[in-house]
Amino acid sequence: MNKKEVSMSELFFDLIFVSILSQVNQATAHMTDGILSAENLLKNFMLFLIFVAIWVYRTLLVNRFFNKKWYQYAFVFIDMFLIILLSRAIDSDFQSTFTPGVLITTLLFLSIATQYILNYILNKERFDIRLILPYVLSLILASLISIFSLFINGNSNVLVFLIAVTIASIVPLFFQKQAKKHPVYFDHLSERLSLFVILMFGEGLIFIASDISVFSLNPVYIIMFMLLVSLFILYTLHYKYTEKAKAKRTGFFTLYIHLFILYFIDIMFLVINEEMQHDHFSSFNYHYLYITAFTMYLILLLANTKHYSSILSSSKVKMNIIVIVICVVLSSILNSFVLINIVFILTILTIIFINYKNKIKKEFI
């Protein structure tokens, strides 16, 4: 397959998305009031899933069909405007904005389904209709269930809407046979995902910088800066040594792995925000949620590295597991936010040394 580059409109689109995900965290923070319950986490996940489902469908659409036609650009900006409207429907009180949120989500689903149909009609000679049918039908089904949720009284409507969004998110996974016949441009997909992750880290750094005072520099900000830089370096090395040239890939594995990576980065930022603003880290829930999010980030990154790179031998995998287990034990014992982050930084540096020391020595030293 020919190489496909990420367009400027895609970067613009992703920048809007990252900004909106930070609003999801703010909405969740207002829900918690210092107590992070399973219900609030579920609401956070649903908000995240709504935007992620939209992003996944658009990304796969652009990856296979986008060839810089005027109508494609028109839909990019139409969807962008709808997403901005949807972000305004995010509120800590779900029921107060439930109806506009559902209606805008439905419009986005139908817009993307229309784009799949339109692009197929204009590219019949390149694609089989069986490739687009799962995407179109799942979006239409999710739209119908979403509309149905508007007629349900009480909090059950949120659960029905969550079912609709979940259907939209996972249905493509059940049609891998057709996806393999029309593989994605893997270099484009991996670059798009990596840029999204980098934008997330950038958003985190901007948040930290917004609270720094040059007259009374709190050491915790230095530690947080070092942590985000360490997370960024580890991710960058993972991306650099991912094998991108192999053909016939559906891209589903790295796509969904990255969605969970993004989610756990998002959760880490949620906890950091609560600690910086309200000093809630002493809460049992925040403590172990932070450890879980960090651990899952490492595990998912290593899983993606193992799947797409030969850099991880079985001995290195075992060493990584040992390092992660030690990190979990130490951070569980400690009750200081600063000390836990120091443990996280040392864990990342150790993993980088185990996995990439030869590469770094060869290329950078």
Side-chain angles (χ1 to χ4, degrees):
M1 298 179 72
N2 297 326
K3 183 178 173 61
K4 187 170 187 174
E5 295 181 351
V6 176
S7 68
M8 290 295 152
S9 61
E10 292 172 80
L11 289 175
F12 190 24
F13 192 84
D14 290 349
L15 187 61
I16 298 295
F17 251 86
V18 170
S19 177
I20 288 170
L21 288 178
S22 68
Q23 292 182 40
V24 170
N25 271 352
Q26 291 172 16
T28 305
H30 291 143
M31 294 176 206
T32 61
D33 195 26
I35 302 172
L36 197 61
S37 65
E39 180 185 357
N40 289 333
L41 274 178
L42 181 63
K43 288 178 178 178
N44 174 272
F45 182 71
M46 188 184 79
L47 288 170
F48 179 84
L49 198 62
I50 292 168
F51 291 103
V52 157
I54 294 164
W55 191 86
V56 166
Y57 276 86
R58 276 209 54 86
T59 298
L60 291 175
L61 172 74
V62 169
N63 184 279
R64 288 193 171 99
F65 292 102
F66 190 77
N67 50 7
K68 302 180 180 179
K69 301 297 184 183
W70 68 268
Y71 60 88
Q72 294 172 330
Y73 281 114
F75 273 113
V76 167
F77 296 115
I78 290 169
D79 289 349
M80 192 183 296
F81 181 71
L82 288 172
I83 288 164
I84 292 169
L85 286 180
L86 180 59
S87 72
R88 304 309 302 164
I90 296 173
D91 192 86
S92 55
D93 180 6
F94 259 47
Q95 295 300 332
S96 66
T97 57
F98 183 76
T99 299
V102 169
L103 290 174
I104 297 168
T105 302
T106 302
L107 280 175
L108 277 161
F109 285 165
L110 294 176
S111 169
I112 298 169
T114 302
Q115 292 171 66
Y116 270 100
I117 295 168
L118 178 61
N119 280 281
Y120 167 72
I121 291 171
L122 298 174
N123 295 275
K124 281 184 179 179
E125 69 285 353
R126 290 174 52 210
F127 295 99
D128 187 336
I129 193 170
R130 288 173 293 183
L131 171 68
I132 70 154
L133 276 179
Y135 298 98
V136 173
L137 294 177
S138 59
L139 286 167
I140 292 173
L141 178 61
S143 299
L144 292 173
I145 297 173
S146 297
I147 295 298
F148 176 69
S149 70
L150 294 174
F151 299 95
I152 298 176
N153 296 322
N155 292 328
S156 298
N157 57 3
V158 175
L159 180 60
V160 174
F161 183 50
L162 177 60
I163 292 170
V165 175
T166 303
I167 288 172
S169 302
I170 66 172
V171 162
L173 288 171
F174 298 100
F175 296 90
Q176 299 215 24
K177 184 178 179 181
Q178 290 303 320
K180 285 179 180 178
K181 289 182 180 179
H182 301 279
V184 295
Y185 292 90
F186 190 77
D187 55 342
H188 172 273
L189 180 63
S190 59
E191 183 181 0
R192 183 87 184 270
L193 289 166
S194 67
L195 290 171
F196 202 133
V197 173
I198 290 168
L199 287 171
M200 284 283 285
F201 285 135
E203 188 76 16
L205 284 172
I206 290 169
F207 164 74
I208 292 172
S210 66
D211 282 342
I212 292 177
S213 170
V214 293
F215 299 105
S216 56
L217 184 60
N218 190 331
V220 72
Y221 290 107
I222 299 174
I223 299 298
M224 294 314 306
F225 177 79
M226 292 172 63
L227 175 65
L228 289 182
V229 169
S230 301
L231 290 166
F232 168 77
I233 291 172
L234 179 60
Y235 181 83
T236 303
L237 289 168
H238 145 270
Y239 173 73
K240 181 178 177 63
Y241 298 111
T242 297
E243 295 167 2
K244 306 174 185 67
K246 187 177 177 182
K248 299 296 181 183
R249 284 174 169 170
T250 65
F252 286 146
F253 185 87
T254 193
L255 181 59
Y256 283 89
I257 282 283
H258 270 81
L259 296 182
F260 282 104
I261 287 173
L262 288 165
Y263 178 68
F264 287 115
I265 291 173
D266 198 50
I267 290 295
M268 288 183 69
F269 288 167
L270 171 64
V271 177
I272 290 169
N273 177 62
E274 287 297 299
E275 168 61 20
M276 297 294 193
Q277 301 294 333
H278 309 292
D279 194 22
H280 286 153
F281 190 72
S282 57
S283 163
F284 176 88
N285 289 351
Y286 281 102
H287 185 165
Y288 286 97
L289 180 64
Y290 193 51
I291 296 169
T292 301
F294 176 75
T295 304
M296 290 306 300
Y297 171 82
L298 294 180
I299 291 171
L300 291 166
L301 209 57
L302 291 171
N304 203 59
T305 304
K306 180 66 176 174
H307 191 77
Y308 290 110
S309 172
S310 58
I311 202 168
L312 284 183
S313 62
S314 56
S315 60
K316 284 184 178 179
V317 170
K318 290 176 184 176
M319 291 173 69
N320 277 281
I321 293 171
I322 291 169
V323 170
I324 292 171
V325 169
I326 293 171
C327 170
V328 170
V329 172
L330 287 176
S331 54
S332 299
I333 295 170
L334 297 169
N335 200 34
S336 164
F337 185 68
V338 172
L339 290 178
I340 287 173
N341 282 296
I342 290 172
V343 170
F344 286 179
I345 293 167
L346 293 175
T347 299
I348 293 170
L349 293 176
T350 305
I351 288 174
I352 289 173
F353 178 78
I354 292 169
N355 297 341
Y356 302 105
K357 61 179 178 179
N358 293 330
K359 297 285 187 181
I360 293 172
K361 186 176 180 180
K362 183 178 178 181
E363 296 191 32
F364 301 105
I365 298 177

